[in-house]
Amino acid sequence: MSKTEIRNHPKFYNVFISGSQERLKLYTKNLDLGKRIYGERLFTYKGTEFREWDPFRSKLAALILENPITNFLSENIKCLYLGASSGTTISHLSDVINTGIIYGVEFAERSMRQLIQNISNRKNIIPILGDARFPDNYAKYIFTHVDLIYQDVAQPQQAEIALKNCNYYLKDDGILILVIKSQSIDSIQKSEITYAQEKRVLEKAGYKILESINIHKHASNHIILLAKKNQ
Ligand SMILES: C[S@@+](CC[C@H](N)C(=O)[O-])C[C@H]1O[C@@H](n2cnc3c(N)ncnc32)[C@H](O)[C@@H]1O
């Protein structure tokens, strides 16, 4: 029997918490019972299996722990996830959105193979072997506009890649979550300058930065931008 007391996150749909505000832990309900993706702790509380969501392994968890104002999670959402890797974060998102759908794009074949093994029992993830720099190449797999684009690709020109995908797939009132790793864009320039440059790229293209969240506590040299199309 686990002693962890689980409660609903006060804001984020289908995300669960335990502990005090200063030492908050995050969890999702495991959609694929008994399956671990990255060695995370599994335990049963009141008949439900939960997976601990590690903010040092998942930048989305790190973002939620920073308590953003924008509420980007709800039931049934459609999401385009760029940089799915072997499935750490996308699997938690899959737990959260439940009957929604996530299109997971990844260009490294090895990661894609691991991803497919890891998520084979999850019906709400469609894995796509593709390059996020060329969004039209995977249009044949994505039949709809999406509510959320989450991008975490270690590439230069992260904002440009996000824009191309938003212009192609994001609903007019959809939300972009853009993980920016300054070292992937410019390893010499000060991170703050790189962040400002990426923000300007989005703003010049008509996007409004809703929030800019520093997640250095859990991932050095990373910030996360939440943005929307200006309407
Ligand atoms: C930092 S990892 C993503 C980690 C993942 N988001 C998670 O939290 O579980 C970055 C991933 O982006 C992928 N990637 C980099 N450039 C890409 C591109 N142009 N198109 C698709 N995937 C890309 C890499 O292969 C790598 O798996």
Side-chain angles (χ1 to χ4, degrees):
M1 263 296 264
S2 164
K3 287 203 185 102
T4 311
E5 289 278 327
I6 300 290
R7 54 196 197 275
N8 287 310
H9 190 286
K11 180 192 292 174
F12 287 104
Y13 169 77
N14 228 358
V15 175
F16 300 86
I17 55 177
S18 74
S20 63
Q21 200 52 42
E22 302 73 47
R23 311 191 67 179
L24 213 58
K25 287 190 170 178
L26 297 181
Y27 308 89
T28 57
K29 279 185 194 171
N30 196 359
L31 269 191
D32 187 3
L33 294 184
K35 174 102 177 166
R36 286 185 177 81
I37 307 281
Y38 59 103
E40 70 278 21
R41 182 165 78 105
L42 301 183
F43 66 94
T44 300
Y45 178 75
K46 294 191 175 168
T48 299
E49 186 172 278
F50 288 88
R51 305 166 61 213
E52 193 167 328
W53 195 358
D54 183 349
F56 290 98
R57 301 290 301 278
S58 169
K59 287 156 227 159
L60 186 56
L63 171 66
I64 290 174
L65 284 180
E66 292 300 330
N67 219 356
I69 296 163
T70 314
N71 196 341
F72 47 84
L73 295 176
S74 57
E75 202 174 0
N76 274 329
I77 57 171
K78 296 188 181 75
C79 172
L80 172 60
Y81 189 114
L82 304 168
S85 194
S86 54
T88 300
T89 298
I90 202 173
S91 62
H92 283 289
L93 200 54
S94 150
D95 289 342
V96 170
I97 68 158
N98 205 344
T99 52
I101 191 102
I102 314 172
Y103 302 94
V105 176
E106 171 56 54
F107 80 165
E109 289 188 12
R110 187 154 173 245
S111 298
M112 180 51 72
R113 274 197 295 276
Q114 288 170 346
L115 177 68
I116 289 168
Q117 275 175 12
N118 283 337
I119 56 129
S120 58
N121 291 329
R122 292 177 177 270
K123 308 246 179 296
N124 61 7
I125 301 179
I126 299 181
I128 298 172
L129 182 64
D131 188 331
R133 290 170 297 182
F134 308 106
D136 46 329
N137 285 356
Y138 37 85
K140 56 180 175 285
Y141 305 111
I142 303 177
F143 311 111
T144 170
H145 282 86
V146 298
D147 306 284
L148 179 69
I149 294 187
Y150 180 87
Q151 178 180 307
D152 180 17
V153 296
Q155 285 276 343
Q157 303 201 311
Q158 288 162 26
E160 283 88 351
I161 295 172
L163 281 175
K164 281 191 203 170
N165 281 277
C166 288
N167 292 339
Y168 225 99
Y169 297 111
L170 190 63
K171 287 182 182 170
D172 285 342
D173 60 349
I175 292 176
L176 164 68
I177 301 181
L178 174 58
V179 178
I180 298 184
K181 182 180 182 188
S182 59
Q183 297 297 303
S184 302
I185 296 171
D186 190 325
S187 56
I188 298 165
Q189 188 165 255
K190 272 184 118 179
S191 295
E192 294 308 324
I193 296 176
T194 305
Y195 299 151
Q197 277 169 359
E198 297 299 287
K199 284 181 200 170
R200 268 200 302 279
V201 172
L202 293 184
E203 283 167 346
K204 266 182 86 175
Y207 282 73
K208 182 175 177 199
I209 312 287
L210 304 171
E211 291 178 76
S212 168
I213 311 267
N214 186 320
I215 57 161
H216 291 189
K217 220 189 291 170
H218 295 106
S220 57
N221 300 311
H222 286 78
I223 60 161
I224 299 188
L225 301 181
L226 291 97
K228 249 187 160 172
K229 289 179 186 173
N230 264 327
Q231 287 172 332

